[in-house]
Amino acid sequence: MKREAVTEKILSKKRLKGLSWAEINGRIGGCSPVLITAALLGQMKLTREQAAVAADIFELDDEETLLLQEIPYRGSLPTAVPTDPLIYRFYELVSVYGTTWKELIQEEYGDGIMSAIDFDMVMERKPDPKGDRVQITMSGKFLPYKSY
Amino acid sequence: MKREAVTEKILSKKRLKGLSWAEINGRIGGCSPVLITAALLGQMKLTREQAAVAADIFELDDEETLLLQEIPYRGSLPTAVPTDPLIYRFYELVSVYGTTWKELIQEEYGDGIMSAIDFDMVMERKPDPKGDRVQITMSGKFLPYKSY
Amino acid sequence: MKREAVTEKILSKKRLKGLSWAEINGRIGGCSPVLITAALLGQMKLTREQAAVAADIFELDDEETLLLQEIPYRGSLPTAVPTDPLIYRFYELVSVYGTTWKELIQEEYGDGIMSAIDFDMVMERKPDPKGDRVQITMSGKFLPYKSY
Amino acid sequence: MKREAVTEKILSKKRLKGLSWAEINGRIGGCSPVLITAALLGQMKLTREQAAVAADIFELDDEETLLLQEIPYRGSLPTAVPTDPLIYRFYELVSVYGTTWKELIQEEYGDGIMSAIDFDMVMERKPDPKGDRVQITMSGKFLPYKSY
Amino acid sequence: MKREAVTEKILSKKRLKGLSWAEINGRIGGCSPVLITAALLGQMKLTREQAAVAADIFELDDEETLLLQEIPYRGSLPTAVPTDPLIYRFYELVSVYGTTWKELIQEEYGDGIMSAIDFDMVMERKPDPKGDRVQITMSGKFLPYKSY
Amino acid sequence: MKREAVTEKILSKKRLKGLSWAEINGRIGGCSPVLITAALLGQMKLTREQAAVAADIFELDDEETLLLQEIPYRGSLPTAVPTDPLIYRFYELVSVYGTTWKELIQEEYGDGIMSAIDFDMVMERKPDPKGDRVQITMSGKFLPYKSY
Amino acid sequence: MKREAVTEKILSKKRLKGLSWAEINGRIGGCSPVLITAALLGQMKLTREQAAVAADIFELDDEETLLLQEIPYRGSLPTAVPTDPLIYRFYELVSVYGTTWKELIQEEYGDGIMSAIDFDMVMERKPDPKGDRVQITMSGKFLPYKSY
Amino acid sequence: MKREAVTEKILSKKRLKGLSWAEINGRIGGCSPVLITAALLGQMKLTREQAAVAADIFELDDEETLLLQEIPYRGSLPTAVPTDPLIYRFYELVSVYGTTWKELIQEEYGDGIMSAIDFDMVMERKPDPKGDRVQITMSGKFLPYKSY
Amino acid sequence: MKREAVTEKILSKKRLKGLSWAEINGRIGGCSPVLITAALLGQMKLTREQAAVAADIFELDDEETLLLQEIPYRGSLPTAVPTDPLIYRFYELVSVYGTTWKELIQEEYGDGIMSAIDFDMVMERKPDPKGDRVQITMSGKFLPYKSY
Amino acid sequence: MKREAVTEKILSKKRLKGLSWAEINGRIGGCSPVLITAALLGQMKLTREQAAVAADIFELDDEETLLLQEIPYRGSLPTAVPTDPLIYRFYELVSVYGTTWKELIQEEYGDGIMSAIDFDMVMERKPDPKGDRVQITMSGKFLPYKSY
C-alpha cells in the first residue's frame, strides 16, 4: 500500500461525508491546521493520537492509520513547474523574487538560509474593501553556513 | 543593451562602493525595499524619480537609467528548479505545501487564486533565543474565477 | 476516485449515447458552453445544480457528482509542449506572439498582466468564402502590479 | 549578424528616443500594429517599404534593414514554459483550456485545426467599471485534415 | 475506455489472426493505407463505414467502434525524441535538414509553411540492385502567413 | 573558428549581395541543391571544388573555406522540439505518423530501418488550383537488422 | 497484450525455474546469445523456430509467442540518461568518447556513420591477474553519406 | 582560459596545416591514438612530454600547454541525447542493448560493473567485400560491488 | 512480478508488524545495515541466506525471495532532481561541492575517480550539545584512469 | 564582473604559477581546505583576511577580491545530472542510496533532515594494499521538522 492510496481514500471520504478541512483539522487538533492538512495530503506525518482520530473520521484500516504516522516521500506536485494556477502563483513568486530574497536575507543575517524544516506558517484572511486578501506569514529559523 | 548588463553594473558598483541594500533602498525610497531591490535585480521597474536616484548612486548612463524604468522580462533564475540553497528552500515549500495551500485557500475563498500581481510582502527579523528567524508576510488579493 | 476517472466515464457515456457538446451544454446551462465543457473535462467546477443535470445525463453516482463540484488540479495536457496539432497551434501562438503581447499590453495598460482568472472567452464560427474561420474572443481583466 | 542583434538595437533606439509602439506602428503602417511589433521583435517580416521606414526610425544600416525583410527563425521565448507572468498567463490558458478547445472546435468543424498561419488578431481595450479589460480577438482559418 | 485500449486490442487481434496491414487496409479501404493504419494506431479517425469493417475484423464492441470514429489526441511517441531506431531516423532528418527545408521552401513560396494537415503521403518500394529503397512522397499545401 | 561563424558569414553575404539559394546552388553545382544548401548551413560538407566556388561567392578566407569541407557536428535546431512553425510541422509528422511508418515499412521490408545516410531527397513545387503544394520525395536505402 | 508483459513473464519463469541466460541461449540457438537475450528482453525479434523453443521454456501462450516474433518498439531504458550504474558506464563512454569516435572514424572512412543496424557484437571474458576484464567487440558496417 | 578554447585552437591549426589525426597521434605518441585524440578534444589529459609535442605542433602558449596536462571536466556532448548521427548510433546501442549488457555481464561476473575508467579501446578497419566495417574492441575491468 | 512490488510488500509488512530497520538488519545480518536496507528497498541484492531470513520476516513467497537475490535495475528516485528534502540535501552537496571534490581528489590521487562500486559507508550518530549530528563516512577505492 | 570570471582567473593563475591546492589552502588558511577550495571555485565565500591572501596569490584586483567575500549563487555543475565521471559517482550514490539514507536517518532521529548548511566534511587518503581509498567523512546537524 502506498501513501497516495491513503490520500485518495481520505479525499473520497471527505467528499462523501461533506466534511470541511476546518472541521477535520478541528477534530484532529494538536497542531496547526496547515500541518494536519499537509499530513492528510501525504506531505507530513501525524502523531499516533492524531492518526487515531483521522482513522475514525475517514474509516481507515490499520495499515492506512500507520501510514499516516510514517514520514512520507515528500513532494506534492506532479511536475517540476506546477500547472495548477493557484500553486503556480507561488512558483512565480520564487521565480521573480528568488534573487531578491537571497540578497536581502543574506545582507541581514550573513551566509546561510531560511530553514524550510524549522519552519512554521499561518494563513489568514485579511478583509479588504477592494477584495479580501490571503495573508501567509512564514517564519523559518535562519541557519548560518558553518565554517569548518 | 540588455537588462542583465544593468543588473551586473549595479552589483559591481554596489560592491566597489561598499553599499548595502539598506542604504540603497533608503536613498531611493518611495516604495518597499523588497520592490526596489527586485527592480535593481531586473525583476521590477522603478519610477522616473527612483531611477534618477539609482542613476546617481550607480553612475548609470541614459539608456541604463531608462532600462530601470522598463518592465523587464521577469524570471530571475537560471534553471527551472533553483540550485542555490537559499532559493531552493522556497521552491521546496511550494513542492511540499503546494497542494495544502490549494485546499485551504479554496475552502476559505472558493475557486480562484491568490494574486502574485496584486501582492505585497514584508521581510522581518524575528528575534528568537534559539536562533533568530526570518519572517516573511505575504498578502495577495484573492481573485475568484469568473463565471461566464 | 480521481477526477480523471469521471472525465473518462463522461466521455464514454457521451460516445455511447451519441450526445454532442452542444446538447450537453444546452441541457446543463447556467454558464458559457466553454466553461461547462471545461468542467466536464476536469478543468473547471460545476455548481450543485449543474452537476445534478450532468449526473442525470452521464449516470454518475454520488461521488462522481460531487467530484464535478470540486475545484480540480488544473492542467489538461500530458506534456509541457502539447503534441496534439490543434492544441499545439495555440502553444505556437504563445511562442511566436508572447513578447509582442507583452509589449503592446504593457504600453497600453502599464505594468501588470491580463488575468487568466477574471477571464472569459467566446468561440464563434466566422463564415468566410475562402473557408470558415474559428474566432475566439478572450477578455481578461487587466491587473496592475501593486506598488507597496 | 543575427536577428537578435537587430531586435536589441531597435529596442535600444526606441528607449533612447522615447518612442511608443503606437507611434512606431503608425509610422510604419501597411498592416496591423500587432504584426509590425512582432516583426520588430524578430517574429515576423516587414515589406521592403516598411523596413525602409523602420530603418529611418531606428537608424539601421543595410544589413539590419535587410534582416527585417527576412523570415525569422520563429519562437520568441527563452524557455518552453515561459517565466514572464504576463506571457505565462497565455500559456496557462493553453494548459487549462487546450482539451476544451479541441472538443468544441472539432465538434463544430470536424477533424482539423485552427490555423496559426492564416490567422489574424486584434487587441482592444474594453473599458469596465470594475477595471478595464484586455480583449483579444483571434481568428484562424479552419483547416480540415485532408483524406487521401 | 481510452483510445490506447482499442489500439492494443487491434494489434492483439491482428497478431492472433495473422493479418497483415496490407490485408486490413485492403478490406477497410476508402482512403490511403497510410491513413487507415494511422487510424488503427490511434492517430487518425475512420468513417462510420470504415469503422464497421474494422469492428468486424477486430471483433470490436460498440464503444470501441465509436472510438475509432473519434478524433484522437494525437502524438504517437512516448518520448519527445523517439528511441525506436526506425522512427528516430525521421527525427534525425528533421534535425539535420530542418533549417535547409526552411530556407528552400521560403525562398520558393514566401513566408509560410507546408501544411501537415492538408497533407498526403505515399510510401513505395523502389527496387535497387544495391538494396531496395523506401520512397516516401509527401505533399502539403503551402500556407502563406496572412498579412492583416 | 567555429562552423556557426561560417554559416553566419555566408548568410550575411547572401543577404547583402541579394543572392538566392537557386543562384548559389546553381553556381556551386555538383550535387543536389538540397545538399549544397545544407552544407552552407553547416549540416553537410562540400568538396574542395565546391568550397572554392563558395569561397569566391561569399569572400571566405582559408580557414572558412576549409571548414566547409569538414564534416560538421550535425543537428541544426536549437531545441529538441523545434519552435519554428515551418520546421515544427515536420516534427509533427514524425510525432503523428511515426508508429505508422514503423508498421508499414517493417511489414514490407522486414526488421530494419530506412537509412537517413544512404538517403536522397527532392523538393518540388506541385501546382494546384486550390493552392500550390510542396512535394518532398525522400528515398532511403532499407537497411535490414543483421542477424549474428 | 504488450511486449513488456512478455518480458516480465519470461524473467519470472527464468527466476522460478532457476535458468541461466547461457542455458536459455543455448537451447534457443540459431544466432548470437546477445541477440537472443535482447529479443527476450523486448529489443529484438526471434524467428518462428526460436520463438517456439522460447514458448516451450517459458510456457508462453500463442499471443506471447507471436509477440516474440514481432519487431518491438525499441529502447530499453526508462530514462534518457540511464540510472543503473552498469548501463550508465556505457552512456559515459558515449559522453566522453563521442567526439573522438567521430573524428577518428570520419578521418579513416570519410563522411558517414558506423551502422547500429548492420551491426554485430561479441562479449567475452578476458582473464587478467589484476581482475578479469569484460571485452566487447562491436563491428558495424561503415555507411557513407550518399551524395545526390 | 577555458579548455574549450584550446580545443578550438587545436582544431583550427590542424585544419590550416592540413594535418591528420594519424600524423598528430603518431608525432605525440606514448599511448593509444584514441587517448591522444580524446585529450586534444578536451576529454583526457596528456603527459608533460606529450603536451610539449602538441604545443610544438599547434603553436600553443604556456597556459594552453598546461591546460592539456590538466584533467578536464569531462563530457563532450552539447545535449544529453546527442544530435550528431555518428555519435547518436552509439547512444542508440546503449538504449537498445543496455538491459542485455546488464543481464549478460552480471550473469557471468556477478554484481558489479564494467569499468569505464580502467578501460581501453581499439578501433580498427575490418575489410569486408560488402563494405568495410568499423570494429571497436573495448575492454574494461570488471569491478564487483563490495560487500561491507 | 517486479522488484517494486517486493519493496512495497516489505514496507507494508514492516509497518504492520511494527518492525524497525535496526531489528530487521540485526536479524538478517551478514553485512552492513546500510546494505541490507538498500537491498530491501530494491537497490542491492541479498545472499541466499539473507533472503531466506527476509522471506521469513516479511512472509515472502518463492518468487519474491528470489527477486531479493537478483541484481536490481538501480536508481531509487522518481525524478532526476530529488523532491524529498532529506534526499535533496545530498543532491545539494553534489551540486555545491562537486567541482571541489574533483579538484581535491585529483590533486591528491591523479586522474581517476572514487569508486561508487568498491565502496562502503557507515552512518553514525555523533552526539553534540547543540544538537546531534548525522555522520556519514564513505570510502571508495581510488580508480586511476588507465593509460593505453 | 561575474563570479565565474574570478574562478576562471584563479584557475589560470594557479596553472601558470604551478600552484597546488595544498599550497594555496595552506597559505590562505583559517578554515578547512575543502571550504577554501570551494570558495575559490565560486561556491563559498572567504573572509576579508582570507580574500586578501588570495588576492596576493592570484593577483586579483579590488572587485575580484570583493567578489570572493560575497556569497555566491551556488550550484557548480553545468547540468542537472553531472557528466564528469568523478562527480557523477557522487550523484550515483544519491540515486542508489537516497531512499536508504532517508529510512535509516529518520528511524534514528525522527522526522527531519541532515543539514547541508550546518555541515562539515573531511577528505582523507586511506592507504590500502589493494589500492588506496578516498575517505570522506561528512557530518551535518540533524534538523527536526518543527511542529506548529
Side-chain angles (χ1 to χ4, degrees), chain A residues 52-120:
Chain A
V53 183
D56 195 49
I57 300 174
F58 301 113
E59 301 168 25
L60 305 178
D61 68 22
D62 280 2
E63 184 165 10
E64 291 161 345
T65 310
L66 286 165
L67 260 165
L68 285 180
Q69 304 169 53
E70 279 183 20
I71 304 166
Y73 188 94
R74 291 177 166 99
S76 69
L77 305 175
T79 49
V81 178
T83 59
D84 185 81
L86 184 142
I87 301 174
Y88 182 82
R89 297 308 181 270
F90 290 94
Y91 177 79
E92 188 175 298
L93 291 172
V94 178
S95 172
V96 170
Y97 283 109
T99 50
T100 299
W101 292 335
K102 183 170 170 63
E103 289 293 330
L104 295 180
I105 293 176
Q106 293 181 340
E107 176 168 307
E108 172 75 17
Y109 298 83
D111 193 5
I113 61 159
M114 182 188 89
S115 183
I117 306 293
D118 188 338
F119 173 85
D120 58 69

Side-chain angles (χ1 to χ4, degrees), chain G residues 66-130:
Chain G
L66 287 165
L67 261 165
L68 285 181
Q69 303 169 53
E70 279 183 18
I71 304 165
Y73 187 94
R74 291 177 165 100
S76 68
L77 304 175
T79 49
V81 178
T83 60
D84 185 80
L86 184 142
I87 300 175
Y88 181 82
R89 296 309 181 270
F90 290 95
Y91 177 79
E92 187 175 299
L93 291 172
V94 177
S95 172
V96 171
Y97 284 109
T99 50
T100 299
W101 292 334
K102 184 170 170 64
E103 289 293 329
L104 295 181
I105 292 175
Q106 293 180 341
E107 176 167 308
E108 172 76 17
Y109 299 83
D111 193 5
I113 61 159
M114 181 188 89
S115 182
I117 307 294
D118 188 339
F119 173 86
D120 57 71
M121 179 176 17
V122 180
M123 303 184 70
E124 286 164 300
R125 180 186 279 267
K126 213 176 131 188
D128 189 304
K130 284 181 292 189

Side-chain angles (χ1 to χ4, degrees), chain B residues 60-112:
Chain B
L60 304 178
D61 67 21
D62 279 2
E63 184 165 11
E64 291 161 344
T65 311
L66 287 165
L67 261 166
L68 285 180
Q69 304 168 54
E70 279 183 19
I71 304 166
Y73 187 94
R74 292 178 165 99
S76 69
L77 305 175
T79 49
V81 177
T83 60
D84 185 81
L86 184 142
I87 300 174
Y88 182 81
R89 296 309 180 271
F90 290 95
Y91 177 78
E92 187 175 299
L93 290 172
V94 177
S95 172
V96 171
Y97 284 109
T99 50
T100 299
W101 291 335
K102 183 169 170 65
E103 289 292 331
L104 295 181
I105 292 175
Q106 293 180 341
E107 177 168 307
E108 174 75 17
Y109 297 83
D111 193 6

